[in-house]
Amino acid sequence: MGYENIRFPEGSKFLVTGSAGFIGSNLVEAILNLGYQVRGLDNFSTGKRENVEQFISNSNYEFIEGDICEFSRCMEACEGIDYVLHQAAWGSVPRSIEMPLLYEEINIKGTLNMMEAARQSGVKKFVYASSSSVYGDEPNLPKKEGKEGNLLSPYALTKRVDEEYGRLYTKLYNLETYGLRYFNVFGRRQDPDGVYAAVIPKFIKQLLNGESPMINGDGQQSRDFTYIENVIEANLKACNAKSEAAGHAYNIAYGGREFLIDIYNQLLNALGKDIQPLFGPTRKGDIKHSNADISKAQEMLGYEPEWSFEQGIEAAIEWYKNNLGSLSHS
């Protein structure tokens, strides 16, 4: 895998915020497997306890139940930490349109709390989750850093503000920050339930249960779906990046482009199902097409994603087949 040979100084200690979530728990697992110490922080507002419990017996792991909106908690979490991987946030474009105040509080104030705590604690690198949604209505493909359009949702705005704070914290305070603009991440442990669930796990679960999934719009929208392993690689490589790379945001994707209707048909084939989808209205705030230029991350972070969409979807389907039973009751 793209990160198994990455090395950090002996005794390095990582903080993963949002560690009970999909991306956070995968980061915790990868870092523990590399043999380093990890502290997790989560308040379970969207994360799951079972994602934390699997690591409790590992002597290199400790967990703090707490909220990034409480600065004292952020200070406690950053104590003695070398690298912060800040994943805690509320996702979902449609939900942010319904709850803008909450998104301001968690995604902007919470991130600022974490940056400030990291600065005061002398953290070496602060890597944080941004989003492809910052490109807004910029029509050109592939999406390239520095060519952003008008924002289309409060969620996108919160991520743009986080990037601006990241830039300032590097420039004003010498905290090395690295923003990772994730493009449609999918893979094991991604929640298939709830009205705001991501499309791939939701489709897989519904098809396995013999239900007809709902496709928003005509299914002709395209996305740069990115398997979780590539995201782990990007986070760890950012922790090892040169100081000149700090203060910037980077596209983190595979660099491909999949149409939703094609993915649906691919899932049908893989699962041996014959189910017609339902088509619903296009979602407010959604971008029609998304595809990333990843050359900046390749050049500055040494990011070389190894997992194609095909490899990732195969692994994801396998995981959901084996774990859907345990997910349903949680």
Side-chain angles (χ1 to χ4, degrees), residues 58-75:
N58 191 315
S59 59
N60 274 340
Y61 180 70
E62 61 170 312
F63 178 73
I64 296 175
E65 185 170 346
D67 194 326
I68 56 170
C69 295
E70 290 174 39
F71 184 68
S72 58
R73 266 299 200 228
C74 299
M75 284 299 291

Side-chain angles (χ1 to χ4, degrees), residues 111-140:
T111 298
L112 185 57
N113 280 341
M114 282 307 311
M115 277 187 202
E116 180 58 19
R119 174 180 87 89
Q120 290 190 27
S121 307
V123 163
K124 289 180 192 169
K125 306 267 187 190
F126 186 93
V127 182
Y128 62 95
S130 184
S131 160
S132 59
S133 66
V134 299
Y135 286 104
D137 63 3
E138 158 57 34
N140 296 308

Side-chain angles (χ1 to χ4, degrees), residues 44-99:
F44 300 113
S45 63
T46 61
K48 288 180 158 28
R49 285 187 189 272
E50 56 266 36
N51 286 344
V52 169
E53 283 158 5
Q54 58 186 324
F55 309 123
I56 291 296
S57 58
N58 191 315
S59 59
N60 274 340
Y61 180 70
E62 61 170 312
F63 178 73
I64 296 175
E65 185 170 346
D67 194 326
I68 56 170
C69 295
E70 290 174 39
F71 184 68
S72 58
R73 266 299 200 228
C74 299
M75 284 299 291
E76 183 190 338
C78 283
E79 196 179 321
I81 292 293
D82 299 297
Y83 307 98
V84 173
L85 301 179
H86 176 54
Q87 313 298 313
W90 268 42
S92 171
V93 163
R95 183 168 56 189
S96 76
I97 292 172
E98 290 168 26
M99 307 175 176

Side-chain angles (χ1 to χ4, degrees), residues 261-314:
I261 195 70
D262 295 343
I263 289 174
Y264 183 79
N265 291 325
Q266 208 168 338
L267 292 176
L268 285 182
N269 288 339
L271 298 169
K273 300 283 183 182
D274 182 16
I275 298 173
Q276 288 301 312
L278 306 168
F279 289 92
T282 304
R283 291 196 318 188
K284 264 201 319 197
D286 260 4
I287 294 168
K288 179 78 174 174
H289 297 295
S290 188
N291 161 240
D293 177 330
I294 57 172
S295 56
K296 184 178 171 187
Q298 288 173 312
E299 188 189 334
M300 304 294 282
L301 306 179
Y303 172 65
E304 289 296 342
E306 293 190 356
W307 285 74
S308 69
F309 174 74
E310 283 68 31
Q311 291 167 302
I313 199 78
E314 212 170 284

Side-chain angles (χ1 to χ4, degrees), residues 216-230:
N216 295 107
D218 57 7
Q220 294 304 317
Q221 60 270 52
S222 64
R223 297 285 181 267
D224 197 332
F225 283 101
T226 309
Y227 189 57
I228 183 65
E229 290 293 321
N230 297 334

Side-chain angles (χ1 to χ4, degrees), residues 22 46 48 50-51 187-209 211 316 319-321 323-330:
F22 156 49
T46 61
K48 288 180 158 28
E50 56 266 36
N51 286 344
R188 60 186 174 272
R189 294 207 282 275
Q190 191 173 25
D191 189 358
D193 294 317
V195 62
Y196 301 113
V199 64
I200 287 180
K202 198 172 189 170
F203 281 5
I204 293 174
K205 180 178 180 179
Q206 289 172 323
L207 289 172
L208 284 171
N209 290 340
E211 299 162 12
W319 189 87
Y320 284 102
K321 276 182 176 171
N323 293 277
L324 206 51
S326 60
L327 283 172
S328 305
H329 62 72
S330 58

